[in-house]
Each structure stands twice: as structure tokens, then as C-alpha cells.
């Protein structure tokens, strides 16, 4: 039993690490532009799918070329999303921006469907498939890649926001755009960086996890929803809260799939999220904002 | 009666279309779906457009109505009308129970909670196969009959759906133009001010949430009996989003707008079929473009009133608006 | 004696984290008066109003309105007892017309429920007519007749300030809390506001006023309470307040020119 639980925890952390990266992307874009980007999951799909497409076949590129190109492509998509869909709708309401980003996600999915069809694809494991035993639980090397990669990325993002000029400038934009502009911050450029960074995180999540979970043109949908849930669970707009929310959600799902019912694992995740919101309306690590009149 | 002139125009349109274009696929088939969507959108618009409470899970209530009707009639041999009433009662109770904790949430948190609710409902429909038929759905749902007049043709369904839609619109218009309707709009404008005017905002939110759910349940039951086959796909997250899009597209807080949005969004995929493989892509693009360039759907948002800097003049002694 | 007090506040305290906004404050408001609360920025005036109207709950202390304890009840219940208010930061229903804004104020004077509204039962029309008439009267009292068909979102600030008052008057309150009604108004508008406060008081409504414009305060008030850091610095008639040493000291440096 204990071994089983250890196994569920290890799986949960792997899945949770992916959610965490997606949630972090949600959080960054929300902080920079007040937008809930429902196309966040599509970044994951595009990263993975394009890497697979580029490295496929006889004349396929070497992975050392295909992966970086896939990442660059995804970043490009992220920046274009901001440039052509978000920026023109300046001043739009919460619902309107939600629909725009959902439109964008449907669009991206449509493009993927057109290019790659409905098949399911996988990337090769980065360093073999020799299982590693921890007690009676097993782990694939790729699981370690996912956990380690995600951890490094999270630390990197944390460092970026706290120790670089650009990172701090993005935070300033999120506090007050007009004031940021007044002190000479190029808000447009900061938006590009924020969307690019989110897309980068999405692509990385896709590349890291696809050897285990596979991908298809519509793989981004559920990931996007999970990422949003994780970000809300942690307290929306709090990047490290989003990461914690992601890992937590992964654990909850994996444990409930193993111990309760795999069919209902997604439902249990959402139920716990609802319960958290009922008792903490601003998420686990969100600041409760008292209404001032 | 000036107040209802738009309504009479709409009614005339609904009545005349099948007379002018009898047996037209776009009227009696797609048209019926458009009418059904209009019922849903008008109900949701009361909640979202007027009361300003976002819901990304409205398909759940549509689904509960549909499945209650389907299960009671096919598995237990109930009379369809009784099943509809039970469906409405059940949906209403569920909506009432969840409304209190959910409607305490605001903005993105409310969006997330309603979205979660919709997804949970959908998962239950898929997983509780013994009851719901699982992902394969439920078939052989009997059609309705009205005073011995069986609804067994597309045209007959058109009349029933049309009448229900007009009834829903009429009720919505009546509500908006009343004390309760003003209370809804007031709580959208400023929750504290609404409270100070003596409006119990908690009860008002619950009321409109339940009302929108009841409308969706009725629509769901009609859908069940009209289609005679239902599956969880019709009650997914995407359908919730489509409903929201109908409301926003028409211009929030406009009942006729909701009807318009429903019609546009129902016909759009029909027209896009000719693009075959490009259909999904073009649908997404159109959705984005409409939201970016149609301002009437853009400006009446769910922004909280104190984030609105509409006409506030800076004054040296005024507080900075709190976040 | 209790009949002489419309509102009694006893040992009221409220803090936000480390900040004590109101500290053990007590005062009584007699009916029929214009009772003003003044004090520097951050003295706790708005916080006091928020507690009086049920928006915030005090940490300690009692508030009695017409001998009813109103601590712990919801703002709409406070409103039902006869307390209405305006806000320092406009809380207009910008999504509604001027007339509809004020008709919302008639909520407590009408009964139509959701069901009778949905079916447009016979009584509804009559109530709508009555509400419209009451709203017109409130608008007239605030000299807003000519804006009746406008959308609230399209009006200038000065008009909105008065519209908020009209909306509060439509509630037919016994006590009206006004939070800085003259803030941001020009001289003419301020004079109009002063006259309006008088009219409201003459109509038998007790006014609790928070205002930074000392000229206006000294002219319209029957009594004044001076707050500093959430507690009472002084209380009395305008003449007494102007002579009060502590008040003059507290305001030292700030221009305290009492336009008498
Ligand atoms: N919701 C809140 N959360 C935290 N602190 C608050 C809150 N409301 C008020 N305060 C604090 O309480 C103190 C009193 O504020 P209040 O708004 O009551 O002052 P005021 O007398 O109305 O000032 P002004 O003349 O500027 O309107 C201030 O320090 C303020 O920052
Ligand atoms: Mg104040």
C-alpha cells in the first residue's frame, strides 16, 4: 500500500510539474496584461507537435536542432497572439478576452489538425527507458527530466522576476501600466516578453512530458484547463502560488486516480478546487482583497 | 405598446419564416437549433449580461435537464411532461445549493468555479454509464405530444421551440423592466450601492442564477425529446463557451442581442462546412475577430465598478480607488 | 432621553491589520440635525460610515439606530431601517439611466417579486408608475429634472454627485450619510450642494455629513464631531469648534479659514 502511494506521488509530481509550468504561464500573462490566456495549453501542444514534425522521417532534423526550433516557433506564436489578438482588443472586458483567447486556442488547434491530422504522437525519451527503482516504486528517467526541468525553469523564472531589470519592469507593468509608461518602461516590449516567456514555458512543458504522455492536436485543451485551475488554486497572479497549485493538483489527481477512481480523477481535482475556493475565495496563496468604498 | 414593439417584430419573424420558406432545412432544422440556443442565451444573459455574474459552466444545467428527461422517459417510462417538470425542479435545487458559495466569488475565481462545475457535470455524465449511457449517450427518447398532437415533424418542433423562445424573451423583457430587473442591473453596477438601496444582493444573485438554470433545464428537456438521442458531447465545456459567446456577441445586457448572438453562432458552423478541413481553424479565427472588432460586445464588461474610471474626475481629497 | 437620539455610537473600534482606523469612538446624533464629522485625511471618517451602514463590522462597540442594535446586520437590512448613504468614490450604476438609478432607490418602497414581474401581473404596472413618480420627485429635489432621460455614464462629475443623493433620497431615509458631497465640485456647485443639504434637513431627514470644505461645514452643521486618528478630538456647535484650542492646533499649518 505504502509503495503504491509512493508510486502515485511520483506520478503526481511529474504530472503536477507540467501543470505547474502551464499555470506559471497563465500567471505571467495575467500579471502582465490582466488576460486569462486559454490558449496556454496550445503552447504545450505546439511545442511538442512541431518538434515531432520537424524531426520525423528520413530527412528529419536532428533533435538538437528540432527541439530549439520548436521552442522558437512556440515563442513566436505566443508573441503573435499578443500582437494580433490581445493588443487590438485593449480595454475589453474579462469575458471578451476569455473568448478571444478561446478563439485563438480553437484556431491553433484547427491549424494543428490541418497540418498533422488527428493521430497521436510521441517524442523519444531523452535518456533511455530503463526504469529506476525507488523501493517498490518505479520511475522512468524521463520523469526525472520533467521534474528537474520544471524545477530549473521555475527557479529561472523566479530569478528573472526578482533580479533582472526586465523582470522587474514586467512586474511594474502589472501593478500600474500608466505609471510604468511614465517611468519610461516600454510596455509593448514587456508584453512581448511576458507572452514569449509563457509560450516558452508551455513549449518546454510539452517537450519534457510528451515522451511519457504523448500528444495530439487537441492535447492542449485539458492542459490549459488544468493550468488555469492550478493557477487559481494557488491564488491567481501569484506565480509561485501557481507552481504550488500545479504540483498539488497533480498529486490530488494521481492519488485519487489510484485510490478512488481513475474515471473521476479530473472531477475530484475540480471538486477540491471548488471546496478550496468556497473557504478561501482568493485561492490558497492569494491575497484576500477587501473591497474599499 | 412601445415597450414590446421589438418583441412583436421578433414574433412576426418567427411566425413568418416557415410560412415563407416551408420545408427549408435552414428554417426547420438549423432554425430549431437556433431557437433552442436563443432560449439558453436569453436565460444566461439575465445572469451574465444584466447581473454581471460570469458563468462558464451553463451547459451543466442544460445537461441536467436533458438527461433527467431522457433517463426518466427511457428507463422508467415516465410521461415526458412529468419528466420535464422533475428536471426543472432538480436543476433548480442543484443551482440553488451551489449558488451561495459560488456567487460569493468574483471575477476570474467565479469564472473558474463555474467552469469547474460544468466540467464536473460533464464527467459525471460520461462516467455514470449505468444511468446515463456513458460516452455513447442515450437513445430512443420519446418525442413530446401536445394535446394529442405528436411533435413528429421538424415543422411542429419549430412551432413549439419558437413559442418557448418567444415566451422566454417575453419573460426576460418583463423582468428587466421591473423592480427585480433593476436590482439585477444595480448589483452589476455597484454591489455596495445596491445593498445600500435595500437590495439583498445575495438573494438576488441566487434568484437569477436559479432562473437561468431553470431556463437551461427546460431547454435541455426540449432538446432531449426533439433529438431523441443525447450524449455528453452536447453538454461540454465548449458548449458553455459557445453560450457565453452568444451572449457577448449580441452585446451583453440586451435580450434581443442574445437572440441575435444565438442565431449567428448556430448558423456559422453550418456555413463553414464548405471549408471542410479548414472549418475548425476558420471558426476560431472568426470568434477572435468578432470579439476584437465588434465593440458592442466588448465594453459592458464584468469589471468591478470601482475599476471603472468612466467619469471620475480627479480630486485632491478623494481616496485612490482601492483594488 | 433615548427619544432624543436617532443614532448612538458607543466605544466603536475598528482596525485593519496594524492600523486602528476608529478607536473607542462614542457620539450621539439627535434627530433633525445636520451633524458633521470632520478630520484630516485618514482620520477614519469613511471607515465610520462603512460601519454605520453595515458594510464593515466593528471590532468592538455598539451602534444603535432608533434604539435598534445594528451591529452585525447586512447593509440592506440597515437600509430597511431607514439609513441611506452616498459614497466618497461614486458608486453609481453606470450601466443604467438616470431615472433607473433613482428608481433602484425605491426598491424598499415597492413589493413586486420576480414571479409577478416575470408574468407582468396587474399590480406591477401600478408600482412601476409609483416608483417613477417617486424617482421624479427625488430628482426634482436635487434639481436634476433635466437629466432624467440621460445615461448615468454620460454625465459630468458634479451631476453624478447629486444623482447619488437623489438615489439615496428615493429610499426615504430617516438618516442620510453623506461622504464628502462637495469634493471635486467648483464654487457654484458647492453653493448648490450647501442649499441641497439644507433642503434635505428641512424635509425632516437627519444628515450625517463628512466634508473637508470647512466653509460648507460651518454653515450647514448644527453640531460637529472632530476626529483625529479615529478618536474624538472635540465635539460641539460650529462656534465652539472654531474656538477649540485642540482643533486649531491639530489643523495648524492647514488653512483653517472659517468662511462665516
Ligand atoms: N479596507 C481597508 N483596508 C485596510 N485599511 C483601510 C481600509 N479602509 C480604511 N483603511 C485605513 O483606515 C484609515 C482610515 O481611513 P478612512 O478612509 O476611514 O479615512 P477618511 O477619514 O475617510 O479619510 P479621507 O478624508 O482621506 O477620506 C486609513 O489609514 C486607511 O488606510
Ligand atoms: Mg473618506
Amino acid at each position: 500500500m505504502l509503495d503504491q502511494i509512493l508510486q502515485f506521488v511520483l506520478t503526481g509530481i511529474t504530472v503536477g510539474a507540467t501543470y505547474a509550468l502551464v499555470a506559471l504561464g497563465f500567471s505571467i500573462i495575467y500579471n502582465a496584461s490582466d488576460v486569462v490566456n486559454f490558449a496556454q495549453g496550445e503552447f504545450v501542444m505546439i511545442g511538442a507537435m512541431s518538434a515531432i514534425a520537424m524531426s520525423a522521417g528520413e530527412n528529419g532534423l536532428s533533435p538538437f536542432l528540432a527541439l530549439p526550433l520548436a521552442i522558437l516557433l512556440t515563442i513566436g506564436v505566443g508573441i503573435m497572439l499578443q500582437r494580433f489578438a490581445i493588443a487590438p482588443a485593449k480595454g475589453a472586458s474579462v469575458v471578451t478576452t476569455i473568448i478571444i483567447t478561446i478563439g485563438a486556442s480553437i484556431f491553433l488547434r484547427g491549424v494543428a489538425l490541418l497540418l498533422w491530422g488527428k493521430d497521436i504522437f510521441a517524442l523519444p525519451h531523452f535518456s533511455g527507458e530503463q526504469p529506476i527503482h525507488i523501493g517498490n516504486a518505479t520511475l522512468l528517467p524521463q520523469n526525472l527530466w520533467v521534474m528537474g526541468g520544471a524545477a530549473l525553469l521555475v527557479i529561472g523564472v523566479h530569478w528573472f522576476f526578482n533580479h533582472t531589470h526586465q523582470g522587474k519592469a514586467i512586474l511594474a507593468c502589472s501593478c500600474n501600466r500608466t505609471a510604468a509608461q511614465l517611468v519610461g518602461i516600454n510596455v509593448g516590449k514587456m508584453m512581448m516578453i511576458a507572452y514569449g516567456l509563457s509560450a516558452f514555458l508551455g513549449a518546454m512543458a510539452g517537450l519534457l512530458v510528451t515522451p511519457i504522455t504523448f500528444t495530439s492536436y487537441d492535447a492542449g485543451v485539458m492542459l490549459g484547463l488544468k493550468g488555469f485551475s492550478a493557477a487559481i488554486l494557488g491564488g491567481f497572479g501569484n506565480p509561485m502560488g501557481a507552481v504550488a497549485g500545479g504540483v498539488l493538483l497533480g498529486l490530488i489527481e494521481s492519488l485519487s486516480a489510484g485510490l478512488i477512481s481513475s474515471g473521476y480523477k479530473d472531477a475530484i481535482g475540480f471538486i477540491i478546487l471548488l471546496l478550496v475556493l468556497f473557504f478561501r475565495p482568493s485561492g490558497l496563496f492569494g491575497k484576500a482583497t477587501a473591497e474599499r468604498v | 405598446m412601445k415597450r414590446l414593439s421589438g418583441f412583436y417584430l421578433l414574433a412576426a419573424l418567427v411566425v413568418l419564416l416557415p410560412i415563407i420558406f416551408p420545408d427549408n432545412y435552414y428554417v426547420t432544422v438549423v432554425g430549431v437549433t437556433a431557437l433552442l440556443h436563443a432560449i439558453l442565451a436569453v436565460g444566461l444573459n439575465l445572469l451574465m449580461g444584466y447581473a454581471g455574474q460570469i458563468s462558464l459552466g451553463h451547459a451543466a444545467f442544460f445537461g441536467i435537464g436533458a438527461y433527467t428527461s431522457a433517463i426518466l422517459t427511457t428507463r422508467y417510462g415516465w410521461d415526458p411532461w412529468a419528466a420535464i417538470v422533475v428536471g426543472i425542479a432538480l436543476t433548480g435545487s442543484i443551482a440553488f445549493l451551489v449558488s451561495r458559495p459560488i456567487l460569493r466569488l468574483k471575477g476570474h475565481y467565479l469564472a473558474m468555479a463555474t467552469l469547474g462545475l460544468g466540467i464536473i457535470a460533464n464527467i459525471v455524465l460520461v462516467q455514470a454509464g449505468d444511468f446515463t449511457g456513458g460516452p455513447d449517450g442515450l437513445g430512443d427518447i420519446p418525442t413530446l405530444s401536445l394535446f394529442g398532437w405528436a411533435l413528429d415533424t421538424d415543422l411542429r418542433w419549430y412551432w413549439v421551440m419558437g413559442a418557448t423562445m418567444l415566451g422566454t424573451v417575453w419573460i426576460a423583457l418583463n423582468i428587466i423592466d421591473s423592480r427585480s430587473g433593476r436590482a439585477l442591473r444595480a448589483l452589476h453596477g455597484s454591489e455596495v450601492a445596491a445593498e445600500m438601496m435595500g437590495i439583498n444582493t445575495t438573494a438576488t444573485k441566487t434568484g437569477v442564477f436559479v432562473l437561468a438554470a431553470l431556463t437551461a433545464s427546460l431547454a435541455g428537456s426540449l432538446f432531449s425529446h426533439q433529438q431523441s438521442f443525447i450524449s455528453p458531447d452536447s453538454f461540454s465545456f465548449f458548449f458553455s463557451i459557445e453560450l457565453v459567446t452568444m451572449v457577448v456577441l449580441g452585446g451583453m445586457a440586451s435580450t434581443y442581442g442574445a437572440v441575435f448572438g444565438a442565431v449567428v453562432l448556430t448558423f456559422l458552423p453550418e456555413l463553414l462546412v464548405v471549408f471542410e478541413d479548414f472549418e475548425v481553424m476558420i471558426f476560431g479565427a472568426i470568434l477572435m475577430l468578432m470579439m476584437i472588432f465588434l465593440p458592442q460586445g466588448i465594453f459592458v464588461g464584468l469589471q468591478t465598478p470601482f475599476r471603472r474610471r468612466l467619469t471620475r474626475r480627479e480630486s485632491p481629497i478623494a481616496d485612490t480607488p482601492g483594488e | 432621553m433615548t427619544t432624543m437620539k436617532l443614532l448612538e455610537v458607543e466605544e466603536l473600534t475598528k482596525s485593519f491589520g496594524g492600523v486602528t482606523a476608529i478607536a473607542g469612538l462614542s457620539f450621539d446624533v439627535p434627530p433633525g440635525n445636520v451633524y458633521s464629522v470632520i478630520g484630516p485625511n485618514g482620520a477614519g471618517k469613511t471607515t465610520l460610515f462603512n460601519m454605520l451602514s453595515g458594510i464593515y463590522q466593528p471590532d468592538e462597540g455598539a451602534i444603535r439606530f432608533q434604539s435598534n442594535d445594528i451591529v452585525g446586520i447586512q447593509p440592506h437590512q440597515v437600509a430597511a431601517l431607514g439609513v441611506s448613504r452616498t459614497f466618497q468614490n461614486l458608486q453609481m450604476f453606470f450601466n443604467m439611466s438616470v431615472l433607473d438609478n433613482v428608481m433602484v432607490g425605491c426598491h424598499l418602497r415597492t413589493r413586486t417579486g420576480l414571479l409577478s414581474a416575470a408574468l407582468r401581473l396587474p399590480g406591477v404596472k401600478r408600482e412601476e408608475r409609483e416608483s417613477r413618480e417617486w424617482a421624479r420627485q427625488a430628482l426634482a429635489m436635487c434639481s436634476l429634472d433635466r437629466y432624467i432621460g440621460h445615461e448615468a455614464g454620460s454625465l459630468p462629475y458634479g451631476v453624478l454627485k447629486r444623482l447619488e443623493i437623489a438615489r439615496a433620497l428615493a429610499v426615504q431615509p430617516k438618516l442620510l450619510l453623506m461622504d464628502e458631497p462637495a469634493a471635486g465640485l467648483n464654487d457654484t456647485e458647492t453653493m448648490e450642494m450647501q442649499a441641497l443639504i439644507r433642503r434635505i434637513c428641512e424635509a425632516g431627514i437627519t444628515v450625517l455629513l463628512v466634508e473637508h470644505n470647512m466653509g460648507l461645514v460651518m454653515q450647514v452643521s448644527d453640531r460637529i464631531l472632530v476626529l483625529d486618528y479615529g478618536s474624538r478630538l472635540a465635539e460641539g456647535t460650529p462656534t465652539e469648534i472654531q474656538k477649540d484650542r485642540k482643533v486649531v492646533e491639530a489643523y495648524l499649518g492647514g488653512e483653517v479659514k472659517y468662511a462665516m
Side-chain angles (χ1 to χ4, degrees):
Chain A
M1 185 68 190
L2 226 54
D3 293 329
Q4 256 189 325
I5 289 183
L6 178 63
Q7 184 68 60
F8 299 145
V9 168
L10 290 173
T11 319
I13 293 178
T14 310
V15 178
T18 328
Y19 292 168
L21 291 182
V22 182
L24 190 56
F26 264 105
S27 205
I28 291 171
I29 287 187
Y30 175 70
N31 273 337
S33 61
D34 278 344
V35 168
V36 184
N37 175 27
F38 274 100
Q40 194 71 31
E42 268 60 38
F43 293 154
V44 182
M45 177 272 291
I46 292 173
M49 286 291 247
S50 56
I52 292 166
M54 283 188 279
S55 57
E58 299 274 288
N59 321 325
L61 300 173
S62 111
F64 292 103
L65 211 56
L67 297 198
L69 277 178
I71 293 171
L72 282 179
L73 178 81
T74 315
I75 293 176
V77 171
I79 291 174
M80 288 202 302
L81 175 75
Q82 197 278 329
R83 195 68 192 73
F84 298 115
I86 305 295
K90 216 163 86 183
S93 71
V94 175
V95 234
T96 308
T97 50
I98 286 180
I99 298 175
I100 290 176
T101 58
I102 287 176
S105 80
I106 297 176
F107 174 78
L108 293 173
R109 221 174 301 142
V111 174
L113 180 64
L114 208 60
L115 292 176
W116 301 307
K118 293 190 175 178
D119 295 335
I120 293 173
F121 299 92
L123 272 173
H125 289 244
F126 290 7
S127 51
E129 299 178 41
Q130 190 68 47
I132 303 160
H133 294 275
I134 303 176
N136 281 333
T138 56
L139 206 59
L140 291 171
Q142 194 65 31
N143 288 61
L144 294 179
W145 276 100
V146 176
M147 295 181 205
L152 280 179
L153 287 168
V154 168
I155 293 170
V157 167
H158 187 77
W159 180 82
F160 174 72
F161 279 117
N162 289 287
H163 296 285
T164 67
H165 182 70
Q166 306 260 314
K168 288 180 190 168
I170 291 178
L171 288 185
C173 292
S174 73
C175 291
N176 188 333
R177 220 148 298 154
T178 330
Q181 216 139 27
L182 285 177
V183 299
I185 293 173
N186 182 344
V187 175
K189 191 170 139 209
M190 293 309 129
M191 293 296 159
M192 263 175 55
I193 296 178
Y195 278 75
L197 180 59
S198 286
F200 166 72
L201 291 172
M204 286 304 289
L207 296 177
L208 288 168
V209 84
T210 301
I212 310 177
T213 58
F214 310 142
T215 189
S216 62
Y217 82 103
D218 60 355
V221 181
M222 232 2 180
L223 268 174
L225 294 178
K226 294 295 173 57
F228 182 38
S229 309
I232 288 276
L233 186 63
F236 210 31
N238 174 347
M240 292 307 126
V243 172
V247 176
L248 202 61
L249 191 64
L251 282 172
I252 292 170
E253 282 184 10
S254 164
L255 285 169
S256 46
L259 302 174
I260 306 171
S261 145
S262 62
Y264 280 106
K265 77 171 167 56
D266 291 334
I268 292 169
F270 282 113
I271 288 171
I272 289 179
L273 173 66
L274 285 184
L275 289 177
V276 168
L277 288 184
F278 292 168
F279 293 104
R280 288 190 62 94
S282 325
L284 289 175
F285 309 105
K287 270 182 272 142
T289 45
E291 213 172 309
R292 279 222 198 174
V293 287
Chain B
M1 286 210 57
K2 213 173 83 211
R3 195 175 72 86
L4 290 177
S5 49
F7 175 74
Y8 295 132
L9 202 70
L10 182 66
L13 203 66
V14 170
V15 171
L16 286 179
L17 270 178
I19 296 176
I20 302 173
F21 304 103
D23 289 327
N24 183 314
Y25 169 77
Y26 289 104
V27 176
T28 53
V29 178
V30 188
V32 172
T33 309
L35 290 169
L36 176 87
H37 289 167
I39 298 170
L40 287 159
V42 167
L44 182 61
N45 184 39
L46 286 176
L47 176 69
M48 268 190 48
Y50 286 103
Q53 308 297 309
I54 193 171
S55 172
L56 299 184
H58 208 56
F61 301 119
F62 179 54
I64 297 171
Y67 269 90
T68 312
S69 273
I71 291 171
L72 289 181
T73 52
T74 59
R75 294 197 192 275
Y76 301 98
W78 279 45
D79 178 74
W81 292 104
I84 291 180
V85 173
V86 170
I88 290 178
L90 180 69
T91 312
S93 317
I94 294 176
F96 180 78
L97 285 179
V98 296
S99 70
R100 290 243 160 179
I102 277 207
L103 293 173
R104 273 175 48 213
L105 304 172
K106 294 191 175 15
H108 297 109
Y109 294 95
L110 180 62
M112 179 69 241
T114 49
L115 191 161
L117 207 66
I119 294 180
I120 293 168
N122 193 258
I123 293 174
V124 172
L125 293 185
V126 174
Q127 294 297 326
D130 292 346
F131 259 110
T132 61
D136 299 335
L138 271 179
D140 292 328
I141 306 163
T143 193
L144 284 175
S145 56
L146 207 61
F147 312 114
W149 188 59
L151 302 182
D152 48 11
T153 66
D154 290 339
L155 186 64
R156 288 181 179 187
W157 267 108
Y158 179 94
W159 292 124
V160 168
M161 212 63 99
T164 314
M165 191 275 282
L166 289 172
T168 313
V169 168
W170 181 70
I171 286 176
L173 292 173
N174 283 344
I175 288 176
I176 290 147
D177 244 341
S178 76
R179 176 175 180 262
S180 309
R182 279 189 297 275
L184 291 183
R185 285 180 286 158
L187 87 87
H188 187 183
S190 161
E191 233 171 273
V192 264
E195 276 277 335
M196 265 346 279
M197 297 301 113
I199 294 165
N200 183 344
T201 51
T202 316
T204 308
K205 283 187 200 173
T206 301
V208 69
F209 190 76
V210 171
L211 186 68
L214 297 180
T215 316
S217 177
L218 173 66
S221 292
L222 292 178
F223 178 72
S224 244
H225 293 299
Q226 185 236 349
Q227 294 284 314
S228 96
F229 167 81
I230 55 171
S231 77
D233 284 347
S234 308
F235 313 98
S236 65
F237 164 65
F238 290 107
F239 189 61
S240 292
I241 294 297
E242 268 185 58
L243 290 176
V244 170
T245 310
M246 291 171 194
V247 171
V248 177
L249 186 65
M252 301 252 279
S254 156
T255 299
Y256 301 119
V259 174
F260 171 79
V263 172
V264 171
L265 226 63
T266 312
F267 277 86
L268 190 60
E270 292 290 328
L271 304 180
L272 293 183
V273 169
V274 296
F275 293 104
E276 293 175 4
D277 290 348
F278 291 84
E279 186 190 331
V280 181
M281 193 181 99
I282 294 178
F283 181 76
I286 291 181
L287 207 58
M288 271 195 287
L289 294 176
M290 285 193 300
M291 286 300 117
I292 294 173
F293 293 111
L294 287 183
Q296 72 267 38
I298 289 179
F299 287 111
V300 193
L302 287 170
Q303 292 172 316
T304 39
F306 39 86
R307 280 178 62 183
R308 227 180 261 259
R309 282 155 206 172
L310 277 180
T311 37
R312 185 177 297 141
R313 200 196 285 169
E314 285 301 321
S315 84
I317 37 186
D319 276 349
T320 48
E323 281 291 299
Chain C
M1 272 313 276
T2 44
T3 48
M4 287 308 294
K5 298 165 190 165
L6 185 71
L7 178 74
E8 300 164 75
V9 172
E10 238 171 62
E11 296 295 325
L12 205 61
T13 300
K14 175 80 182 174
S15 19
F16 300 100
V19 184
T20 305
I22 291 288
L25 181 68
S26 305
F27 66 96
D28 299 331
V29 179
N33 274 349
V34 174
Y35 191 100
S36 290
V37 179
I38 61 172
N41 291 125
K45 306 177 295 292
T46 301
T47 305
L48 172 66
F49 269 24
N50 284 341
M51 285 190 282
L52 295 180
S53 48
I55 295 170
Y56 290 168
Q57 292 308 319
D59 300 336
E60 274 168 50
I63 306 169
R64 277 184 295 275
F65 178 71
Q66 292 192 312
S67 311
N68 298 304
D69 189 353
I70 61 170
V71 170
I73 70 175
Q74 304 267 320
H76 69 266
Q77 296 167 313
V78 177
L81 289 173
V83 180
S84 195
R85 75 172 278 188
T86 66
F87 297 86
Q88 183 173 356
N89 293 314
L90 287 174
Q91 294 286 332
M92 241 29 262
F93 308 132
F94 284 115
N95 52 339
M96 299 167 80
S97 73
V98 166
L99 184 65
D100 279 348
N101 260 279
V102 184
M103 281 173 81
V104 174
C106 303
H107 191 85
L108 287 166
R109 298 159 75 182
T110 46
R111 294 270 77 85
T112 308
L114 199 59
L115 195 65
S116 35
L119 303 175
R120 204 85 182 163
L121 297 181
V124 176
K125 237 186 227 166
R126 184 182 44 78
E127 270 200 358
E128 281 292 288
R129 221 172 18 241
E130 279 172 3
S131 296
R132 214 167 295 135
E133 187 47 40
W134 290 329
R136 285 224 173 82
Q137 287 166 9
L139 283 166
M141 179 142 179
C142 302
S143 327
L144 288 169
D145 317 57
R146 63 202 185 89
Y147 297 105
I148 206 157
H150 287 59
E151 286 300 309
S154 67
L155 297 178
Y157 186 80
V159 176
L160 289 170
K161 277 277 188 192
R162 271 184 291 148
L163 181 56
E164 243 195 354
I165 298 173
R167 186 180 66 184
L169 288 175
V171 183
Q172 279 197 318
K174 299 182 184 104
L175 175 67
L176 176 60
L177 315 179
M178 300 172 99
D179 200 349
E180 305 201 7
L185 299 188
N186 62 33
D187 289 352
T188 336
E189 288 170 331
T190 307
M191 292 305 289
E192 281 171 17
M193 186 58 72
Q194 186 171 321
L196 176 57
I197 295 171
R198 280 247 166 81
R199 280 206 297 280
I200 293 170
C201 186
E202 276 156 20
I205 299 167
T206 306
V207 174
L208 192 58
L209 174 72
V210 163
E211 183 50 63
H212 281 285
N213 185 323
M214 284 308 142
L216 188 151
V217 169
M218 293 302 158
Q219 298 243 347
V220 299
S221 312
D222 294 298
R223 295 190 75 79
I224 298 173
L225 169 70
V226 188
L227 278 189
D228 197 24
Y229 293 109
S231 34
R232 169 211 292 241
L233 191 68
E235 207 258 11
T237 62
T239 339
E240 287 165 2
I241 294 299
Q242 287 173 54
K243 290 198 196 112
D244 193 296
R245 255 226 129 71
K246 281 180 291 181
V247 177
V248 177
E249 269 165 28
Y251 273 88
L252 211 68
E255 333 99 75
V256 195
K257 284 199 208 92
Y258 304 128
M260 286 297 283

